[in-house]
Amino acid sequence: MQKYLTEKETEARIPTIRLMSEFFIFIALKENKKIKENIMAYMSQEGYDKLVAELKRLESVERPKASAAIAEARDKGDLSENAEYDAAKEAQAHLEEKINRMKLSIAEAKIVDTSRLSTDAVQILSKVEMTNLTTNAKMTYTIVSESEANLREGKISITTPIAQGLLNHKVGDEVEIKIPRGTIHLRIDNISIV
């Protein structure tokens, strides 16, 4: 015989249920972050070099600028009511966070040897020529790490829905990919390596 909880018993269990759901959400987000970080660690030599150059620029140009802005704001008087000082400190904190993220990306980077890649199936650093079967429009994207993504250059992050939908498919395959605006139907026409 099935026992039903009284209203009082149900209310007593709500904090435990909330705690358990928060725990599962935390675990799911943590696992998603691990997957994303593992995918993002792979990049081209060109992308790695650009990342290193940008880090050097931030450390040698932007960091001194941020320090100078703080010093200038500090010289303007009372720090307790100095909005310019607070803004300069906040800008410096954002800059330092960006520098630390870049250092971590560089430390964890795995440079892909393009000579060992195959054009048999779509993978990271694949240049994919495809046709949108609904509109008959031709598209070409290169699948890259998140740090190398640049839509103007036709480079999309491996974490995007389109890249995820294309991975491991071959020339001639027709794929259906869910994107924020609906579903697109693509046919892979050619795969090459950048």
Short mmCIF file of all heavy atoms in Angstrom, two decimals, residues 148-180:
data_model
loop_
_atom_site.label_atom_id
_atom_site.label_comp_id
_atom_site.label_asym_id
_atom_site.label_seq_id
_atom_site.Cartn_x
_atom_site.Cartn_y
_atom_site.Cartn_z
N GLU A 148 40.23 30.98 -30.41
CA GLU A 148 40.57 31.36 -31.79
C GLU A 148 39.35 31.74 -32.62
O GLU A 148 39.50 32.20 -33.76
CB GLU A 148 41.26 30.18 -32.49
CG GLU A 148 42.59 29.79 -31.90
CD GLU A 148 43.17 28.59 -32.61
OE1 GLU A 148 43.79 28.79 -33.67
OE2 GLU A 148 43.00 27.46 -32.12
N ALA A 149 38.16 31.56 -32.08
CA ALA A 149 36.93 31.80 -32.85
C ALA A 149 36.84 33.25 -33.31
O ALA A 149 37.15 34.18 -32.58
CB ALA A 149 35.72 31.44 -32.00
N ASN A 150 36.46 33.42 -34.58
CA ASN A 150 36.29 34.74 -35.17
C ASN A 150 35.36 34.57 -36.37
O ASN A 150 35.79 34.11 -37.43
CB ASN A 150 37.63 35.33 -35.60
CG ASN A 150 37.52 36.72 -36.14
OD1 ASN A 150 36.48 37.14 -36.64
ND2 ASN A 150 38.61 37.46 -36.04
N LEU A 151 34.10 34.93 -36.19
CA LEU A 151 33.10 34.69 -37.22
C LEU A 151 33.41 35.43 -38.51
O LEU A 151 33.15 34.92 -39.61
CB LEU A 151 31.72 35.08 -36.71
CG LEU A 151 30.53 34.50 -37.46
CD1 LEU A 151 30.65 32.99 -37.62
CD2 LEU A 151 29.24 34.86 -36.77
N ARG A 152 34.02 36.62 -38.42
CA ARG A 152 34.37 37.38 -39.63
C ARG A 152 35.36 36.61 -40.50
O ARG A 152 35.38 36.75 -41.71
CB ARG A 152 34.98 38.72 -39.26
CG ARG A 152 33.95 39.69 -38.75
CD ARG A 152 34.54 41.08 -38.57
NE ARG A 152 33.56 41.93 -37.96
CZ ARG A 152 33.76 42.69 -36.92
NH1 ARG A 152 34.95 42.73 -36.35
NH2 ARG A 152 32.80 43.43 -36.42
N GLU A 153 36.22 35.81 -39.86
CA GLU A 153 37.20 35.01 -40.59
C GLU A 153 36.66 33.61 -40.91
O GLU A 153 37.39 32.78 -41.44
CB GLU A 153 38.50 34.89 -39.78
CG GLU A 153 39.20 36.22 -39.56
CD GLU A 153 40.42 36.10 -38.65
OE1 GLU A 153 40.80 34.96 -38.28
OE2 GLU A 153 41.00 37.13 -38.32
N GLY A 154 35.41 33.35 -40.55
CA GLY A 154 34.81 32.04 -40.81
C GLY A 154 35.29 30.97 -39.85
O GLY A 154 35.20 29.78 -40.14
N LYS A 155 35.76 31.38 -38.67
CA LYS A 155 36.24 30.43 -37.66
C LYS A 155 35.23 30.35 -36.53
O LYS A 155 34.94 31.35 -35.89
CB LYS A 155 37.59 30.88 -37.11
CG LYS A 155 38.70 30.89 -38.13
CD LYS A 155 39.99 31.39 -37.53
CE LYS A 155 41.12 31.37 -38.55
NZ LYS A 155 42.38 31.84 -37.96
N ILE A 156 34.67 29.15 -36.34
CA ILE A 156 33.69 28.97 -35.27
C ILE A 156 34.26 28.08 -34.18
O ILE A 156 35.04 27.17 -34.44
CB ILE A 156 32.34 28.42 -35.79
CG1 ILE A 156 32.52 27.04 -36.43
CG2 ILE A 156 31.68 29.40 -36.73
CD1 ILE A 156 31.21 26.34 -36.75
N SER A 157 33.85 28.36 -32.96
CA SER A 157 34.32 27.59 -31.81
C SER A 157 33.79 26.17 -31.85
O SER A 157 32.65 25.92 -32.24
CB SER A 157 33.86 28.27 -30.52
OG SER A 157 34.04 27.42 -29.42
N ILE A 158 34.61 25.26 -31.40
CA ILE A 158 34.22 23.85 -31.34
C ILE A 158 33.07 23.63 -30.37
O ILE A 158 32.39 22.62 -30.43
CB ILE A 158 35.45 22.97 -30.99
CG1 ILE A 158 35.15 21.50 -31.26
CG2 ILE A 158 35.89 23.22 -29.55
CD1 ILE A 158 36.35 20.62 -31.30
N THR A 159 32.81 24.61 -29.50
CA THR A 159 31.73 24.48 -28.52
C THR A 159 30.38 24.95 -29.06
O THR A 159 29.37 24.78 -28.40
CB THR A 159 32.05 25.27 -27.24
OG1 THR A 159 32.22 26.65 -27.58
CG2 THR A 159 33.29 24.74 -26.56
N THR A 160 30.33 25.53 -30.27
CA THR A 160 29.06 26.00 -30.83
C THR A 160 28.20 24.82 -31.28
O THR A 160 28.72 23.75 -31.60
CB THR A 160 29.30 26.93 -32.04
OG1 THR A 160 29.97 26.18 -33.07
CG2 THR A 160 30.08 28.17 -31.66
N PRO A 161 26.88 25.02 -31.33
CA PRO A 161 26.00 23.93 -31.76
C PRO A 161 26.33 23.42 -33.18
O PRO A 161 26.28 22.22 -33.43
CB PRO A 161 24.60 24.55 -31.72
CG PRO A 161 24.70 25.66 -30.72
CD PRO A 161 26.11 26.18 -30.84
N ILE A 162 26.67 24.33 -34.09
CA ILE A 162 26.97 23.91 -35.47
C ILE A 162 28.21 23.01 -35.49
O ILE A 162 28.20 21.94 -36.09
CB ILE A 162 27.15 25.12 -36.40
CG1 ILE A 162 25.80 25.82 -36.60
CG2 ILE A 162 27.72 24.70 -37.76
CD1 ILE A 162 25.84 27.08 -37.43
N ALA A 163 29.28 23.45 -34.80
CA ALA A 163 30.50 22.64 -34.77
C ALA A 163 30.24 21.29 -34.11
O ALA A 163 30.67 20.24 -34.62
CB ALA A 163 31.61 23.39 -34.04
N GLN A 164 29.52 21.29 -33.00
CA GLN A 164 29.21 20.04 -32.31
C GLN A 164 28.41 19.11 -33.21
O GLN A 164 28.62 17.90 -33.20
CB GLN A 164 28.44 20.33 -31.02
CG GLN A 164 29.29 20.94 -29.92
CD GLN A 164 30.32 19.98 -29.39
OE1 GLN A 164 29.99 18.89 -28.92
NE2 GLN A 164 31.58 20.36 -29.48
N GLY A 165 27.48 19.68 -33.99
CA GLY A 165 26.66 18.87 -34.89
C GLY A 165 27.43 18.29 -36.06
O GLY A 165 27.06 17.26 -36.61
N LEU A 166 28.52 18.97 -36.46
CA LEU A 166 29.32 18.52 -37.60
C LEU A 166 30.38 17.50 -37.22
O LEU A 166 30.81 16.69 -38.07
CB LEU A 166 30.00 19.72 -38.27
CG LEU A 166 29.10 20.72 -38.98
CD1 LEU A 166 29.90 21.94 -39.40
CD2 LEU A 166 28.41 20.08 -40.17
N LEU A 167 30.86 17.54 -35.97
CA LEU A 167 31.96 16.67 -35.55
C LEU A 167 31.72 15.21 -35.90
O LEU A 167 30.63 14.67 -35.72
CB LEU A 167 32.21 16.80 -34.04
CG LEU A 167 32.89 18.07 -33.58
CD1 LEU A 167 33.02 18.10 -32.06
CD2 LEU A 167 34.25 18.26 -34.23
N ASN A 168 32.77 14.58 -36.41
CA ASN A 168 32.82 13.15 -36.77
C ASN A 168 31.96 12.77 -37.98
O ASN A 168 31.85 11.59 -38.30
CB ASN A 168 32.46 12.27 -35.56
CG ASN A 168 33.44 12.48 -34.43
OD1 ASN A 168 34.64 12.56 -34.65
ND2 ASN A 168 32.92 12.62 -33.22
N HIS A 169 31.36 13.75 -38.64
CA HIS A 169 30.61 13.44 -39.87
C HIS A 169 31.54 13.52 -41.08
O HIS A 169 32.58 14.16 -41.04
CB HIS A 169 29.42 14.39 -40.03
CG HIS A 169 28.31 14.06 -39.09
ND1 HIS A 169 27.41 13.04 -39.32
CD2 HIS A 169 27.95 14.61 -37.90
CE1 HIS A 169 26.55 12.98 -38.33
NE2 HIS A 169 26.87 13.92 -37.44
N LYS A 170 31.14 12.86 -42.18
CA LYS A 170 31.97 12.75 -43.37
C LYS A 170 31.36 13.50 -44.55
O LYS A 170 30.20 13.91 -44.50
CB LYS A 170 32.15 11.28 -43.73
CG LYS A 170 32.79 10.49 -42.62
CD LYS A 170 32.80 9.01 -42.94
CE LYS A 170 33.24 8.26 -41.72
NZ LYS A 170 34.35 7.54 -41.70
N VAL A 171 32.16 13.64 -45.60
CA VAL A 171 31.67 14.28 -46.83
C VAL A 171 30.46 13.51 -47.34
O VAL A 171 30.46 12.28 -47.39
CB VAL A 171 32.79 14.32 -47.91
CG1 VAL A 171 32.23 14.80 -49.24
CG2 VAL A 171 33.93 15.20 -47.46
N GLY A 172 29.42 14.25 -47.70
CA GLY A 172 28.18 13.64 -48.18
C GLY A 172 27.14 13.45 -47.09
O GLY A 172 25.96 13.29 -47.39
N ASP A 173 27.55 13.48 -45.83
CA ASP A 173 26.60 13.31 -44.72
C ASP A 173 25.67 14.51 -44.67
O ASP A 173 26.07 15.65 -44.89
CB ASP A 173 27.32 13.20 -43.37
CG ASP A 173 27.97 11.84 -43.17
OD1 ASP A 173 27.85 10.97 -44.05
OD2 ASP A 173 28.62 11.65 -42.11
N GLU A 174 24.41 14.24 -44.35
CA GLU A 174 23.43 15.29 -44.11
C GLU A 174 23.15 15.30 -42.62
O GLU A 174 22.87 14.25 -42.04
CB GLU A 174 22.16 15.04 -44.92
CG GLU A 174 22.40 15.17 -46.41
CD GLU A 174 21.15 14.98 -47.25
OE1 GLU A 174 20.03 14.88 -46.68
OE2 GLU A 174 21.28 14.94 -48.49
N VAL A 175 23.29 16.47 -42.02
CA VAL A 175 23.10 16.58 -40.57
C VAL A 175 22.01 17.58 -40.26
O VAL A 175 21.80 18.54 -40.98
CB VAL A 175 24.41 16.98 -39.85
CG1 VAL A 175 25.45 15.89 -39.95
CG2 VAL A 175 24.97 18.28 -40.39
N GLU A 176 21.31 17.31 -39.19
CA GLU A 176 20.26 18.18 -38.69
C GLU A 176 20.76 18.72 -37.35
O GLU A 176 21.04 17.95 -36.44
CB GLU A 176 18.98 17.36 -38.51
CG GLU A 176 17.76 18.18 -38.23
CD GLU A 176 16.52 17.32 -38.22
OE1 GLU A 176 16.10 16.84 -39.30
OE2 GLU A 176 15.98 17.12 -37.12
N ILE A 177 20.89 20.05 -37.26
CA ILE A 177 21.48 20.66 -36.07
C ILE A 177 20.51 21.65 -35.46
O ILE A 177 19.98 22.52 -36.14
CB ILE A 177 22.81 21.38 -36.44
CG1 ILE A 177 23.78 20.39 -37.08
CG2 ILE A 177 23.42 22.03 -35.20
CD1 ILE A 177 25.00 21.03 -37.69
N LYS A 178 20.32 21.51 -34.14
CA LYS A 178 19.47 22.46 -33.42
C LYS A 178 20.30 23.66 -33.04
O LYS A 178 21.36 23.52 -32.42
CB LYS A 178 18.87 21.81 -32.18
CG LYS A 178 17.82 20.80 -32.50
CD LYS A 178 17.13 20.28 -31.28
CE LYS A 178 16.11 19.25 -31.72
NZ LYS A 178 15.25 18.82 -30.65
N ILE A 179 19.83 24.83 -33.44
CA ILE A 179 20.48 26.09 -33.09
C ILE A 179 19.43 26.94 -32.36
O ILE A 179 18.24 26.61 -32.37
CB ILE A 179 21.04 26.82 -34.33
CG1 ILE A 179 19.93 27.11 -35.34
CG2 ILE A 179 22.15 26.02 -34.98
CD1 ILE A 179 20.35 28.00 -36.50
N PRO A 180 19.84 28.05 -31.74
CA PRO A 180 18.86 28.86 -31.00
C PRO A 180 17.64 29.28 -31.81
O PRO A 180 16.55 29.39 -31.27
CB PRO A 180 19.68 30.08 -30.55
CG PRO A 180 21.08 29.55 -30.42
CD PRO A 180 21.21 28.54 -31.52
#
